[in-house]
Amino acid sequence: MIRDVTVTANSNNGTRQASTASALRTLVCSNEIAFLMEAHDALSASVAEAAGFRGLWASGLSISSCLGYRDANEASWTEIVDAVHRIVEATQIPVLVDGDSGFGNFNNARLFARKLHQRGAAGVCVEDKSFPKKNSFVADRHSLAEIGEFCGRLQAIRDHVPDPEFVVVARIEALIAGHGQDEALTRAHAYADAGADAILIHSRKPDAAEILAFSRAWRNRLPVVIVPTKYYNAPVAQYRAAQISTVIWANHNMRAAISAMRQVCDRIIRDESTAGIERDVATLEDLFDLLKYQELSAAEQKYLPQIASGAQ
């Protein structure tokens, strides 16, 4: 049964965790398609929330890139957890974390997931690759974990995060690694038996054909999550018809930031002035509004002693 959940600010962190985890579970399990937007820091998360997104994807690629690392497990899991904590603190919507392959075996995976939960994440997505993993769109050598071993990772996360609402998504890389639908489906059924709440099926093809084929064969045993980074031209109507649960726009805030910063830097170094770009960048007032400077001003009025006019 789908729960009716509203996420609200709450000073009690445990209550907030429960509400955001329930909200993410509702999004993923709903009959209505959901959209999660990538965030890599507090600012990008605030922008996505202000735009109206109801959930966030804390992207491993984007967080690693912003830290100066490649998406190949070069960033430590503690660095990822710290970045996620800043995203959670800046927003009131649920955060699903890109957990790579869990940063090792079952023990690493359960420690990582438990720390994410403690920092307020609503769920984690773990992919069935060996550690260290490499970004799915880089090169062709992608080593998959043995099915039973990966099921152990999922079970360990399920058993050691003390919140039944915390969402565990199993990400299948069989199509990325060059295996067929049979291997993808075999893994999906095993991961469902191991306690996954949803299945993310990933593809690097320029169209959605193999994703839609998987969805038909899967018959919605669990909700299906997709990441249309490469097959971006496929209309959302196809996903709705296939009863796709959740679409993740996985890296677009980070990529948009690169383009915008490059354009601004090029113009400033060329013009030796910022006069030509002021109309094209966010105002300081916009920044102050996003980060709630008005709350600080109101708090100063409440908590700081008022100085009388003319006082020495």
Side-chain angles (χ1 to χ4, degrees):
M1 179 181 294
I2 303 302
R3 299 168 178 79
D4 182 15
V5 177
T6 302
V7 180
T8 57
N10 194 303
S11 60
N12 185 299
N13 190 50
T15 302
R16 184 182 189 277
Q17 285 177 331
S19 64
T20 56
S22 296
L24 180 62
R25 184 172 291 274
T26 297
L27 287 176
V28 171
C29 296
S30 172
N31 292 327
E32 294 294 324
I33 194 168
F35 300 93
L36 303 185
M37 186 62 186
E38 172 260 316
H40 49 270
D41 59 15
L43 186 58
S44 59
S46 298
V47 169
E49 183 179 39
F53 283 98
R54 297 171 61 197
L56 298 171
W57 169 255
S59 163
L61 166 63
S62 298
I63 293 172
S64 296
S65 299
C66 290
L67 293 173
Y69 295 120
R70 291 164 293 203
D71 186 22
N73 285 138
E74 293 182 347
S76 69
W77 68 260
T78 56
E79 288 175 307
I80 300 298
V81 168
D82 287 344
V84 169
H85 182 59
R86 294 186 184 96
I87 291 169
V88 169
E89 286 289 291
T91 59
Q92 293 298 323
I93 55 179
V95 180
L96 175 63
V97 179
D98 178 1
D100 289 341
S101 57
F103 292 88
N105 66 5
F106 77 93
N107 193 41
N108 305 83
R110 67 181 180 174
L111 288 171
F112 175 57
R114 192 177 182 106
K115 287 297 182 182
L116 288 175
H117 176 258
Q118 290 172 355
R119 297 298 186 93
V124 65
C125 177
V126 185
E127 63 191 74
D128 58 353
K129 284 181 182 169
S130 302
F131 178 83
K133 55 77 56 111
K134 185 182 293 184
N135 184 276
S136 299
F137 303 134
V138 175
D140 296 316
R141 297 182 64 180
H142 297 281
S143 174
L144 298 185
E146 189 273 325
I147 292 175
E149 189 274 328
F150 186 74
C151 286
R153 293 185 219 172
L154 297 174
Q155 291 168 340
I157 292 171
R158 187 86 283 164
D159 290 345
H160 286 80
V161 174
D163 182 358
E165 295 295 288
F166 187 79
V167 176
V168 179
V169 179
R171 171 169 157 178
I172 295 172
E173 294 283 298
L175 302 179
I176 293 288
H179 301 283
Q181 294 285 346
D182 288 346
E183 178 69 15
L185 287 163
T186 296
R187 287 174 174 268
H189 284 294
Y191 304 161
D193 293 340
D197 296 303
I199 298 296
L200 191 159
I201 184 69
H202 206 17
S203 172
R204 61 196 298 176
K205 296 289 182 65
D207 60 69
E210 64 179 4
I211 293 295
L212 298 175
F214 173 89
S215 181
R216 287 192 297 271
W218 178 240
R219 297 185 179 181
N220 216 27
R221 179 182 173 186
L222 287 178
V224 174
V225 181
I226 63 171
V227 183
T229 300
K230 290 293 186 180
Y231 49 96
Y232 51 82
N233 282 321
V236 171
Q238 287 188 351
Y239 309 149
R240 286 194 170 95
Q243 295 185 299
I244 298 299
S245 156
T246 307
V247 177
I248 297 174
W249 312 120
N251 44 58
H252 296 79
N253 264 337
M254 184 265 295
R255 290 163 58 196
I258 292 171
S259 294
M261 288 188 290
R262 181 177 288 139
Q263 291 172 14
V264 166
C265 287
D266 287 347
R267 289 175 64 181
I268 291 175
I269 199 168
R270 181 194 66 203
D271 298 343
E272 297 183 339
S273 170
T274 61
I277 56 94
E278 277 296 328
R279 290 177 298 178
D280 300 325
V281 299
T283 64
L284 287 175
E285 288 72 23
D286 189 9
L287 173 62
F288 298 156
D289 184 57
L290 274 172
L291 296 183
K292 301 179 176 61
Y293 276 62
Q294 67 276 17
E295 188 279 333
L296 176 59
S297 297
E300 287 175 343
Q301 292 295 316
K302 181 176 181 179
Y303 298 116
L304 287 179
Q306 300 302 306
I307 300 175
S309 177
Q312 298 298 314

